[in-house]
Amino acid sequence: MKLFSSVNDVKDVPALVAEALQLKKDPFAFQHLGKNKTLSLVFLNPSLRTRMSTQKAGANLGMNVIVLNIDKEGWALELRDGVIMNGTTVEHIREAAGVMGEYSDIIGVRSFPGLKDRDEDYSETIFNKFVEFCKVPVVSLESATRHPLQSLADLVTIEELKTVSRPKVVLTWAPHIKPLPQAVPNSFAEWMCKADVDFTIAHPAGYGLCADFTNSAIITHNQDEAIKDADFIYVKNWSAYEPYGAITGGNEDWMLNNDKLKIAPKAKIMHCLPVRRDLELSSEILDGPQSVVIHEAGNRVWAAQAVLKQMLEVL
Ligand code: SN0
Protein backbone atom coordinates (compact mmCIF):
# COMPACT_ATOMS: atom_id res chain seq x y z
CA MET A 1 0.00 0.00 0.00
CA LYS A 2 1.38 3.43 -0.99
CA LEU A 3 -1.53 5.58 0.15
CA PHE A 4 -4.09 5.09 2.92
CA SER A 5 -6.78 7.73 2.80
CA SER A 6 -9.99 5.80 2.18
CA VAL A 7 -11.39 2.27 2.14
CA ASN A 8 -10.84 2.34 -1.63
CA ASP A 9 -7.08 2.28 -1.06
CA VAL A 10 -7.39 -1.16 0.52
CA LYS A 11 -7.22 -4.17 -1.79
CA ASP A 12 -8.67 -6.68 0.66
CA VAL A 13 -10.54 -5.20 3.65
CA PRO A 14 -11.18 -8.50 5.52
CA ALA A 15 -7.48 -9.38 5.16
CA LEU A 16 -6.45 -6.00 6.63
CA VAL A 17 -8.82 -6.53 9.58
CA ALA A 18 -7.43 -10.04 10.10
CA GLU A 19 -3.90 -8.63 9.96
CA ALA A 20 -4.75 -6.07 12.67
CA LEU A 21 -6.17 -8.80 14.93
CA GLN A 22 -3.11 -10.97 14.33
CA LEU A 23 -0.80 -8.06 15.25
CA LYS A 24 -2.80 -7.61 18.45
CA LYS A 25 -1.83 -11.17 19.38
CA ASP A 26 1.81 -10.79 18.42
CA PRO A 27 2.73 -7.06 18.29
CA PHE A 28 6.51 -7.34 17.86
CA ALA A 29 6.74 -10.05 15.20
CA PHE A 30 7.64 -7.64 12.37
CA GLN A 31 10.23 -5.35 13.97
CA HIS A 32 12.67 -6.15 11.16
CA LEU A 33 10.33 -4.43 8.67
CA GLY A 34 10.66 -1.01 10.30
CA LYS A 35 14.31 -1.15 11.32
CA ASN A 36 16.07 2.09 10.24
CA LYS A 37 12.84 3.40 8.71
CA THR A 38 11.37 6.74 9.76
CA LEU A 39 7.68 7.50 10.27
CA SER A 40 6.80 11.20 10.53
CA LEU A 41 3.44 12.18 12.00
CA VAL A 42 2.46 15.73 11.10
CA PHE A 43 -0.46 17.39 12.87
CA LEU A 44 -2.19 20.57 11.75
CA ASN A 45 -4.85 19.97 14.43
CA PRO A 46 -5.06 18.47 17.95
CA SER A 47 -4.88 14.72 18.57
CA LEU A 48 -4.67 12.23 21.43
CA ARG A 49 -5.51 8.74 20.16
CA THR A 50 -4.24 9.13 16.61
CA ARG A 51 -0.94 10.53 17.77
CA MET A 52 -0.27 8.01 20.53
CA SER A 53 -1.62 4.90 18.78
CA THR A 54 0.17 5.57 15.49
CA GLN A 55 3.41 6.39 17.29
CA LYS A 56 3.11 3.14 19.24
CA ALA A 57 2.23 1.22 16.06
CA GLY A 58 5.38 2.53 14.36
CA ALA A 59 7.51 1.65 17.40
CA ASN A 60 6.02 -1.88 17.53
CA LEU A 61 7.20 -2.31 13.94
CA GLY A 62 10.71 -1.15 14.85
CA MET A 63 10.39 2.28 13.21
CA ASN A 64 11.85 5.57 14.36
CA VAL A 65 8.96 7.98 14.84
CA ILE A 66 9.03 11.78 14.59
CA VAL A 67 5.97 13.76 15.69
CA LEU A 68 5.58 17.35 14.52
CA ASN A 69 2.68 19.48 15.76
CA ILE A 70 3.24 21.80 12.86
CA ASP A 71 0.33 24.07 13.79
CA LYS A 72 2.05 24.91 17.10
CA GLU A 73 5.74 24.19 16.57
CA GLY A 74 6.31 24.73 12.86
CA TRP A 75 6.48 27.79 10.64
CA ALA A 76 3.09 29.16 9.61
CA LEU A 77 2.28 27.19 6.45
CA GLU A 78 1.04 28.67 3.19
CA LEU A 79 -1.35 26.21 1.56
CA ARG A 80 -2.45 28.23 -1.47
CA ASP A 81 -0.65 28.44 -4.78
CA GLY A 82 -0.07 31.68 -6.64
CA VAL A 83 0.05 34.03 -3.65
CA ILE A 84 2.82 36.49 -2.81
CA MET A 85 3.85 35.44 0.68
CA ASN A 86 4.03 38.91 2.19
CA GLY A 87 1.58 38.16 5.02
CA THR A 88 1.70 35.90 8.07
CA THR A 89 2.60 32.61 6.37
CA VAL A 90 6.31 31.79 6.33
CA GLU A 91 6.76 28.52 4.48
CA HIS A 92 4.88 26.99 1.55
CA ILE A 93 3.49 23.47 1.77
CA ARG A 94 5.48 22.66 -1.40
CA GLU A 95 8.80 23.11 0.40
CA ALA A 96 7.59 21.92 3.82
CA ALA A 97 6.17 18.62 2.51
CA GLY A 98 9.15 18.13 0.16
CA VAL A 99 11.60 18.48 3.05
CA MET A 100 9.61 16.16 5.31
CA GLY A 101 9.75 13.57 2.54
CA GLU A 102 13.56 13.79 2.62
CA TYR A 103 13.52 12.80 6.30
CA SER A 104 10.78 10.15 6.16
CA ASP A 105 9.96 6.76 4.67
CA ILE A 106 6.25 7.14 5.51
CA ILE A 107 4.37 10.30 6.47
CA GLY A 108 1.07 10.62 8.37
CA VAL A 109 -0.89 13.85 8.04
CA ARG A 110 -3.80 15.28 10.03
CA SER A 111 -5.65 18.19 8.55
CA PHE A 112 -9.25 19.08 9.49
CA PRO A 113 -11.69 20.80 7.13
CA GLY A 114 -12.32 24.54 7.32
CA LEU A 115 -16.11 23.82 7.12
CA LYS A 116 -16.56 27.03 5.11
CA ASP A 117 -16.01 26.03 1.49
CA ARG A 118 -17.42 22.60 0.71
CA ASP A 119 -15.74 22.22 -2.67
CA GLU A 120 -12.38 23.04 -1.17
CA ASP A 121 -12.80 20.62 1.74
CA TYR A 122 -14.22 17.81 -0.39
CA SER A 123 -11.44 18.15 -2.96
CA GLU A 124 -8.97 17.38 -0.12
CA THR A 125 -6.52 20.02 -1.33
CA ILE A 126 -4.26 20.06 1.75
CA PHE A 127 -3.96 16.29 2.07
CA ASN A 128 -3.45 15.88 -1.67
CA LYS A 129 -0.73 18.54 -1.70
CA PHE A 130 1.16 16.67 1.01
CA VAL A 131 0.88 13.48 -1.03
CA GLU A 132 2.06 15.25 -4.17
CA PHE A 133 5.01 17.13 -2.68
CA CYS A 134 6.41 14.72 -0.07
CA LYS A 135 6.86 11.89 -2.61
CA VAL A 136 6.74 9.10 0.01
CA PRO A 137 3.78 6.91 1.09
CA VAL A 138 1.18 8.84 3.09
CA VAL A 139 -1.30 7.73 5.76
CA SER A 140 -4.28 9.95 6.54
CA LEU A 141 -4.48 10.77 10.24
CA GLU A 142 -7.91 12.37 9.51
CA SER A 143 -8.32 14.60 6.53
CA ALA A 144 -11.10 17.02 5.62
CA THR A 145 -13.56 14.28 4.62
CA ARG A 146 -12.30 10.98 6.08
CA HIS A 147 -10.71 9.33 9.12
CA PRO A 148 -9.73 5.90 7.77
CA LEU A 149 -7.54 4.70 10.67
CA GLN A 150 -10.50 5.29 12.97
CA SER A 151 -12.86 3.41 10.67
CA LEU A 152 -10.48 0.47 10.34
CA ALA A 153 -10.18 0.30 14.16
CA ASP A 154 -14.00 0.46 14.34
CA LEU A 155 -14.35 -2.44 11.92
CA VAL A 156 -11.71 -4.41 13.84
CA THR A 157 -13.70 -3.77 17.04
CA ILE A 158 -16.97 -4.92 15.46
CA GLU A 159 -15.30 -8.03 14.04
CA GLU A 160 -13.80 -8.83 17.43
CA LEU A 161 -16.90 -8.23 19.58
CA LYS A 162 -19.76 -9.36 17.32
CA THR A 163 -21.91 -12.26 18.55
CA VAL A 164 -23.79 -12.87 15.28
CA SER A 165 -22.26 -13.35 11.85
CA ARG A 166 -23.94 -10.29 10.30
CA PRO A 167 -24.48 -7.70 13.04
CA LYS A 168 -26.87 -4.75 12.91
CA VAL A 169 -24.74 -1.59 13.05
CA VAL A 170 -26.28 1.85 13.53
CA LEU A 171 -24.58 5.22 13.13
CA THR A 172 -26.56 7.79 15.09
CA TRP A 173 -26.11 11.55 15.04
CA ALA A 174 -25.61 13.12 18.48
CA PRO A 175 -26.01 16.70 19.70
CA HIS A 176 -23.07 19.11 20.04
CA ILE A 177 -22.53 22.82 20.55
CA LYS A 178 -20.18 23.48 17.65
CA PRO A 179 -19.89 22.46 14.01
CA LEU A 180 -17.81 19.27 13.70
CA PRO A 181 -16.41 17.68 10.52
CA GLN A 182 -18.21 14.95 8.59
CA ALA A 183 -14.94 13.01 8.31
CA VAL A 184 -15.64 10.37 10.98
CA PRO A 185 -19.24 9.57 9.90
CA ASN A 186 -18.33 9.68 6.18
CA SER A 187 -15.50 7.27 6.73
CA PHE A 188 -17.44 4.98 9.09
CA ALA A 189 -20.27 4.83 6.53
CA GLU A 190 -17.94 4.07 3.64
CA TRP A 191 -16.25 1.23 5.58
CA MET A 192 -19.55 -0.20 6.85
CA CYS A 193 -20.98 -0.19 3.32
CA LYS A 194 -18.10 -2.52 2.38
CA ALA A 195 -18.39 -4.75 5.48
CA ASP A 196 -20.60 -7.75 6.16
CA VAL A 197 -23.08 -5.85 8.37
CA ASP A 198 -26.63 -4.47 8.21
CA PHE A 199 -25.97 -0.75 8.31
CA THR A 200 -28.40 2.04 9.24
CA ILE A 201 -27.75 5.77 9.66
CA ALA A 202 -30.09 7.83 11.86
CA HIS A 203 -29.97 11.62 11.92
CA PRO A 204 -32.34 14.55 12.33
CA ALA A 205 -33.67 16.24 9.18
CA GLY A 206 -30.99 18.51 7.73
CA TYR A 207 -28.00 16.34 8.63
CA GLY A 208 -27.85 14.03 5.61
CA LEU A 209 -24.29 13.01 4.71
CA CYS A 210 -22.81 13.21 1.22
CA ALA A 211 -24.37 10.29 -0.69
CA ASP A 212 -20.97 9.21 -2.07
CA PHE A 213 -20.22 7.67 1.35
CA THR A 214 -23.58 6.14 2.24
CA ASN A 215 -24.67 4.28 -0.90
CA SER A 216 -25.96 0.98 0.55
CA ALA A 217 -26.99 2.31 3.99
CA ILE A 218 -30.57 2.51 5.25
CA ILE A 219 -31.12 6.16 6.24
CA THR A 220 -33.82 7.27 8.67
CA HIS A 221 -34.84 10.25 10.84
CA ASN A 222 -36.30 7.88 13.45
CA GLN A 223 -33.62 7.12 16.04
CA ASP A 224 -35.73 4.65 18.08
CA GLU A 225 -36.60 2.59 15.02
CA ALA A 226 -32.95 2.58 13.95
CA ILE A 227 -31.39 1.50 17.25
CA LYS A 228 -34.00 -1.19 18.11
CA ASP A 229 -32.19 -4.51 18.64
CA ALA A 230 -28.92 -3.11 17.28
CA ASP A 231 -25.70 -5.01 17.95
CA PHE A 232 -23.52 -1.88 17.68
CA ILE A 233 -24.51 1.77 18.01
CA TYR A 234 -21.93 4.29 16.80
CA VAL A 235 -22.53 7.71 18.28
CA LYS A 236 -21.17 10.82 16.54
CA ASN A 237 -22.04 14.43 15.95
CA TRP A 238 -21.50 16.10 12.59
CA SER A 239 -22.44 19.42 11.04
CA ALA A 240 -24.66 19.70 7.96
CA TYR A 241 -23.41 18.89 4.48
CA GLU A 242 -26.06 21.26 3.11
CA PRO A 243 -25.93 24.16 4.00
CA TYR A 244 -22.31 23.24 4.51
CA GLY A 245 -21.00 23.34 8.09
CA ALA A 246 -24.33 24.53 9.54
CA ILE A 247 -25.71 23.50 12.92
CA THR A 248 -29.23 23.99 14.19
CA GLY A 249 -30.36 23.68 17.80
CA GLY A 250 -33.32 21.71 19.00
CA ASN A 251 -32.13 18.13 18.65
CA GLU A 252 -30.89 17.68 22.22
CA ASP A 253 -33.20 14.66 22.63
CA TRP A 254 -30.92 12.74 20.22
CA MET A 255 -28.45 12.14 23.09
CA LEU A 256 -28.58 8.44 24.03
CA ASN A 257 -29.26 7.50 27.64
CA ASN A 258 -30.08 4.25 29.44
CA ASP A 259 -33.81 4.79 28.99
CA LYS A 260 -33.40 4.99 25.20
CA LEU A 261 -31.18 1.89 25.26
CA LYS A 262 -33.97 -0.29 26.70
CA ILE A 263 -34.91 -1.24 23.12
CA ALA A 264 -31.28 -2.15 22.34
CA PRO A 265 -30.26 -4.20 25.38
CA LYS A 266 -27.44 -6.07 23.60
CA ALA A 267 -26.01 -3.05 21.79
CA LYS A 268 -22.38 -2.17 22.26
CA ILE A 269 -21.91 1.61 22.23
CA MET A 270 -19.06 3.03 20.19
CA HIS A 271 -17.63 6.55 19.81
CA CYS A 272 -14.37 7.67 18.21
CA LEU A 273 -13.63 10.05 21.14
CA PRO A 274 -13.15 12.75 22.31
CA VAL A 275 -16.71 12.73 23.63
CA ARG A 276 -18.43 15.52 25.51
CA ARG A 277 -20.19 13.83 28.42
CA ASP A 278 -23.89 14.47 28.86
CA LEU A 279 -23.98 16.56 25.69
CA GLU A 280 -23.19 13.96 23.00
CA LEU A 281 -23.52 10.83 25.11
CA SER A 282 -24.72 10.30 28.69
CA SER A 283 -22.24 9.50 31.46
CA GLU A 284 -24.40 6.58 32.54
CA ILE A 285 -23.78 4.91 29.17
CA LEU A 286 -20.08 5.80 29.06
CA ASP A 287 -19.58 4.42 32.57
CA GLY A 288 -21.94 1.48 32.06
CA PRO A 289 -21.59 -2.08 30.76
CA GLN A 290 -22.63 -1.40 27.15
CA SER A 291 -19.86 1.08 26.35
CA VAL A 292 -16.86 -0.25 24.39
CA VAL A 293 -15.27 3.15 23.69
CA ILE A 294 -12.01 2.46 25.55
CA HIS A 295 -11.59 -0.96 23.95
CA GLU A 296 -12.29 0.65 20.56
CA ALA A 297 -9.62 3.30 21.17
CA GLY A 298 -7.19 0.53 22.17
CA ASN A 299 -7.72 -1.06 18.76
CA ARG A 300 -6.41 2.09 17.07
CA VAL A 301 -2.88 0.70 17.61
CA TRP A 302 -3.56 -2.52 15.68
CA ALA A 303 -5.35 -0.72 12.86
CA ALA A 304 -2.43 1.68 12.41
CA GLN A 305 0.09 -1.15 12.71
CA ALA A 306 -1.65 -3.22 10.02
CA VAL A 307 -1.61 -0.27 7.61
CA LEU A 308 2.03 0.65 8.34
CA LYS A 309 3.07 -2.99 7.96
CA GLN A 310 1.48 -3.19 4.49
CA MET A 311 3.26 0.04 3.53
CA LEU A 312 6.64 -1.14 4.84
CA GLU A 313 6.28 -4.38 2.87
CA VAL A 314 6.33 -2.48 -0.44
CA LEU A 315 8.84 0.27 0.38
C1 SN0 B 1 -12.97 15.71 15.67
C2 SN0 B 1 -14.04 15.33 14.66
O1 SN0 B 1 -13.71 15.08 13.48
O2 SN0 B 1 -15.22 15.28 15.02
C3 SN0 B 1 -11.98 14.58 15.86
C4 SN0 B 1 -12.54 13.23 16.09
C5 SN0 B 1 -11.51 12.15 16.08
N1 SN0 B 1 -13.58 16.03 16.93
C6 SN0 B 1 -13.58 17.26 17.42
O3 SN0 B 1 -13.07 18.17 16.79
C7 SN0 B 1 -14.21 17.48 18.79
C8 SN0 B 1 -14.10 18.91 19.21
C9 SN0 B 1 -14.94 19.28 20.40
O4 SN0 B 1 -14.88 20.46 20.73
O5 SN0 B 1 -15.68 18.48 20.97
Side-chain angles (χ1 to χ4, degrees):
M1 210 186 320
K2 294 269 183 210
L3 175 70
F4 182 72
S5 67
S6 104
V7 74
N8 303 315
D9 296 319
V10 181
K11 250 197 238 114
D12 185 339
V13 174
L16 189 62
V17 171
E19 180 123 65
L21 288 169
Q22 184 53 39
L23 288 164
K24 185 169 185 171
K25 285 198 199 115
D26 194 1
F28 310 116
F30 296 95
Q31 293 218 321
H32 55 281
L33 280 179
K35 188 170 171 3
N36 296 333
K37 297 283 192 284
T38 299
L39 170 66
S40 296
L41 304 176
V42 183
F43 291 90
L44 284 79
N45 307 94
S47 173
L48 187 159
R49 279 146 291 278
T50 303
R51 178 193 161 144
M52 294 183 72
S53 62
T54 314
Q55 184 162 0
K56 185 174 162 77
N60 286 352
L61 289 164
M63 302 184 82
N64 303 316
V65 188
I66 299 173
V67 177
L68 179 61
N69 299 308
I70 200 166
D71 57 329
K72 299 186 191 74
E73 299 156 3
W75 298 110
L77 270 192
E78 180 55 64
L79 303 166
R80 299 162 300 170
D81 280 322
V83 291
I84 298 169
M85 286 172 55
N86 60 358
T88 53
T89 58
V90 177
E91 175 153 41
H92 202 279
I93 189 170
R94 287 176 177 256
E95 284 78 45
V99 170
M100 289 179 207
E102 292 289 310
Y103 305 150
S104 315
D105 298 285
I106 299 174
I107 293 185
V109 181
R110 162 161 289 191
S111 160
F112 285 176
L115 292 178
K116 300 270 182 286
D117 180 336
R118 186 166 85 185
D119 289 344
E120 189 182 307
D121 287 347
Y122 274 71
S123 63
E124 291 285 6
T125 40
I126 299 174
F127 182 79
N128 289 337
K129 280 183 179 167
F130 256 99
V131 173
E132 182 183 352
F133 302 128
C134 78
K135 298 190 169 69
V136 297
V138 177
V139 182
S140 164
L141 305 176
E142 187 172 349
S143 68
T145 66
R146 290 178 171 96
H147 194 358
L149 286 177
Q150 179 67 50
S151 308
L152 173 56
D154 296 335
L155 183 54
V156 166
T157 305
I158 289 169
E159 201 54 46
E160 201 182 17
L161 301 180
K162 72 182 185 186
T163 54
V164 292
S165 62
R166 193 176 162 87
K168 176 177 177 181
V169 178
V170 181
L171 166 63
T172 180
W173 185 92
H176 206 286
I177 48 152
K178 71 181 210 202
L180 294 192
Q182 293 122 30
V184 170
N186 280 346
S187 222
F188 185 73
E190 119 178 309
W191 283 72
M192 287 305 121
C193 286
K194 286 219 169 176
D196 192 14
V197 301
D198 285 324
F199 181 50
T200 301
I201 303 173
H203 60 73
Y207 287 95
L209 293 165
C210 171
D212 294 351
F213 299 89
T214 61
N215 49 36
S216 63
I218 299 162
I219 299 173
T220 173
H221 295 167
N222 186 332
Q223 191 186 40
D224 284 343
E225 196 179 278
I227 66 171
K228 190 171 183 319
D229 296 325
D231 296 293
F232 295 90
I233 303 175
Y234 199 91
V235 177
K236 182 72 184 89
N237 169 267
W238 61 88
S239 61
Y241 181 66
E242 175 69 59
Y244 188 60
I247 53 169
T248 46
N251 296 305
E252 290 75 16
D253 59 336
W254 275 70
M255 185 185 79
L256 287 187
N257 54 27
N258 278 347
D259 192 43
K260 285 193 178 220
L261 276 193
K262 282 182 188 149
I263 54 172
K266 292 183 314 207
K268 296 183 171 61
I269 309 302
M270 302 176 71
H271 190 289
C272 65
L273 306 179
V275 64
R276 291 183 182 230
R277 285 176 165 247
D278 298 311
L279 175 71
E280 291 178 78
L281 188 53
S282 62
S283 310
E284 60 185 11
I285 292 181
L286 283 164
D287 298 333
Q290 286 179 261
S291 169
V292 297
V293 300
I294 304 296
H295 183 95
E296 176 188 2
N299 280 336
R300 293 289 309 273
V301 176
W302 319 115
Q305 200 170 326
V307 169
L308 292 172
K309 175 175 177 278
Q310 291 202 357
M311 284 190 161
L312 287 168
E313 281 165 346
V314 296
L315 270 188

